[in-house]
Amino acid sequence: MSNEAMNITVTGRHIEVTDAIRDFATKKIQAIHIDYPRIVEARVVVDVQKDRQMAEIVLYCADHITIQASTVGTDMYASIDETVTKIMRRMRKHKTRLMKHYRPHRSESIRKLDETVYQEDVLDQEVDIDAPEDPKPVRITREGYDLRTMYKEDAIMELEISGKPFVLYRNARRNVLQIVYRLSPGEYSIIELGNELKA
């Protein structure tokens, strides 16, 4: 996953930030290929005090996650490099916590998980305009989709990591197409598509 589109600022204390330092720090952060947490903004502060070369990086990520790390050394480039390594280590810890939270044991069921089966023609039904309740809107998005076979626990984890509104997948246990989406924090629903869509 590329982070080239994020906003990156590099500022200096007691040092003028050269183009070389700015480019080095920017490329290092853009090269972070961790899909969770998603980086929104990055701020880099470099500081020189006598023989101390300090680099500090603060990442502002999705889901209100802020990750910060700093390194003090004798070489600015080495300090930046080591700080990026620390940042990546902490990002992996966030992802590991998420995976542990949303990956229950295979023999366990996920709590608060509603499953509903819909046939393909559910969207073709006519809407009664005299019904007491307004019909729920249907949002249709056409895009390419990489259909994968996985367990529902893995689909939920992918939903949380990717930030997508839903995940379409083939259930590895039952070989049926399912869509999982978020109802509220910690609550999910699964729509199982009709038998005619199994093939």
Side-chain angles (χ1 to χ4, degrees):
M1 178 176 292
S2 175
N3 292 299
E4 294 181 1
M6 84 174 97
N7 181 33
I8 302 174
T9 58
V10 183
T11 58
R13 298 175 186 158
H14 313 105
I15 181 179
E16 180 179 351
V17 179
T18 64
D19 291 339
I21 291 177
R22 181 175 287 103
D23 290 345
F24 182 80
T26 299
K27 290 178 180 177
K28 280 289 182 178
I29 294 174
Q30 288 177 342
I32 296 176
H33 294 285
I34 298 178
D35 53 11
Y36 185 88
R38 180 176 58 84
I39 305 172
V40 177
E41 181 182 358
R43 296 181 183 177
V44 182
V45 177
V46 292
D47 189 4
V48 175
Q49 296 182 5
K50 296 183 179 179
D51 59 345
R52 298 172 68 250
Q53 310 271 327
M54 190 272 290
E56 179 184 38
I57 298 176
V58 181
L59 299 185
Y60 299 91
C61 307
D63 299 329
H64 308 287
I65 296 173
T66 301
I67 301 176
Q68 180 176 356
S70 62
T71 302
V72 176
T74 57
D75 179 80
M76 182 59 71
Y77 294 93
S79 295
I80 294 173
D81 193 51
E82 176 61 25
T83 305
V84 170
T85 299
K86 292 179 181 178
I87 285 283
M88 293 174 64
R89 191 179 304 127
R90 291 173 189 179
M91 291 179 73
R92 291 191 185 97
K93 286 183 179 180
H94 275 281
K95 184 172 181 177
T96 300
R97 290 193 196 104
L98 179 75
M99 292 173 68
K100 288 181 179 179
H101 181 71
Y102 287 105
R103 188 194 289 270
H105 191 272
R106 294 298 185 201
S107 62
E108 299 177 357
S109 61
I110 298 175
R111 296 185 211 174
K112 300 180 181 178
L113 185 63
D114 297 328
E115 297 195 23
T116 307
V117 179
Y118 287 92
Q119 294 300 324
E120 183 183 21
D121 59 356
V122 68
L123 296 180
D124 297 327
Q125 296 176 1
E126 295 184 3
V127 177
D128 184 0
I129 60 175
D130 296 323
E133 295 183 359
D134 292 334
K136 294 182 179 180
V138 176
R139 181 178 179 179
I140 300 177
T141 301
R142 290 182 174 86
E143 61 179 39
Y145 200 93
D146 182 18
L147 182 63
R148 296 167 54 196
T149 299
M150 63 181 81
Y151 295 96
K152 65 182 178 183
E153 295 88 351
D154 297 321
I156 289 176
M157 186 180 69
E158 170 133 343
L159 181 70
E160 293 299 324
I161 290 176
S162 66
K164 297 176 181 177
F166 66 89
V167 171
L168 170 66
Y169 67 103
R170 187 179 299 279
N171 188 295
R173 290 189 181 95
R174 299 175 50 230
N175 193 33
V176 294
L177 294 180
Q178 294 182 331
I179 297 173
V180 60
Y181 62 94
R182 187 183 301 100
L183 291 174
S184 61
E187 294 185 317
Y188 307 89
S189 183
I190 286 181
I191 296 176
E192 183 173 305
L193 303 183
N195 292 336
E196 67 274 10
L197 296 180
K198 286 183 182 180

